[in-house]
Amino acid sequence: MKTIKEVIVVEGRYDKNTLSQIVDATIVTLGGFAVFNDKEKILLLRRLAEERGLIILTDSDGAGFVIRNYLKGTLPKERVKQAYIPDVYGKERRKRTAGKEGKLGVEGMRPEVILEALRQAGATFVGEETPAGKEKDPITKVDLYTWGLTGGEGSSEKRAILLKALALPEHLNTNSMLEMLNLLYDKEMILSIIKNDESGVQ
């Protein structure tokens, strides 16, 4: 079992149960939307962020992004990492029916998918050295505009196609998408996907 330094923040206890079988880490539950009115929980998260750093791991549906965006506005940005699970359609075993958007939440993800999401977010795996990455030319908002992903007719459809091709959540806003693109990819790779006729982006 992998040990992670940062505190991982999830929506509910079923997410925590899944995660605790995959990683050895401090896991804090939010109680879903209850966190909006829980000042003590926010104060605790701020303290944990300063002391250990946080990783936010919410579901990829709209509700998960509402919670994630709320936390982004209340916690110190430089001490928080964002882990995203892909959009996978299905139903958790314990539920009779799928969620509103039909997507699996954190609790329904395979262990390797969760580990990959944590790695992509930059989680600190205790005992593993972080390889020194080469300097790369960052992707900018100007690039997104030039590639037709922002600011023009059909840009939202192009973003949706790109996010699907990269197995990233459809609810990522432009800033979050830019953050994930820079974290995971380089310009050449994104351009090759955009120019690929099969992707449908162009």
Side-chain angles (χ1 to χ4, degrees), residues 8-19 27-36 38 41 45 55-69 71 83-85 92 94-95 101 103-107 171:
I8 304 174
V9 180
V10 295
E11 290 181 49
R13 62 190 176 98
Y14 292 105
D15 300 330
K16 181 176 181 177
N17 290 344
T18 294
L19 214 56
I27 304 166
V28 175
T29 60
L30 298 171
F33 289 148
V35 73
F36 296 161
D38 193 340
K41 180 67 65 72
L45 291 175
I55 299 174
I56 307 297
L57 180 63
T58 62
D59 294 347
S60 64
D61 60 7
F65 272 82
V66 168
I67 294 169
R68 185 189 294 275
N69 290 332
L71 295 177
Y84 297 95
I85 58 171
E92 282 84 7
R94 69 178 178 87
K95 295 180 179 176
E101 296 180 32
K103 298 175 185 176
L104 288 176
V106 170
E107 69 168 290
H171 291 292

Side-chain angles (χ1 to χ4, degrees), residues 70-135:
Y70 172 75
L71 295 177
K72 277 184 178 180
T74 58
L75 300 174
K77 185 178 179 182
E78 68 281 359
R79 301 292 297 160
V80 178
K81 297 173 180 177
Q82 302 290 335
Y84 297 95
I85 58 171
D87 288 333
V88 177
Y89 291 87
K91 176 183 75 69
E92 282 84 7
R93 287 183 201 167
R94 69 178 178 87
K95 295 180 179 176
R96 289 187 175 184
T97 58
K100 186 177 180 182
E101 296 180 32
K103 298 175 185 176
L104 288 176
V106 170
E107 69 168 290
M109 288 292 128
R110 298 192 315 275
E112 59 269 26
V113 174
I114 289 179
L115 283 173
E116 181 61 20
L118 293 169
R119 284 191 188 281
Q120 290 179 347
T124 306
F125 287 84
V126 177
E128 294 185 16
E129 291 186 4
T130 305
K134 63 175 184 176
E135 282 291 318

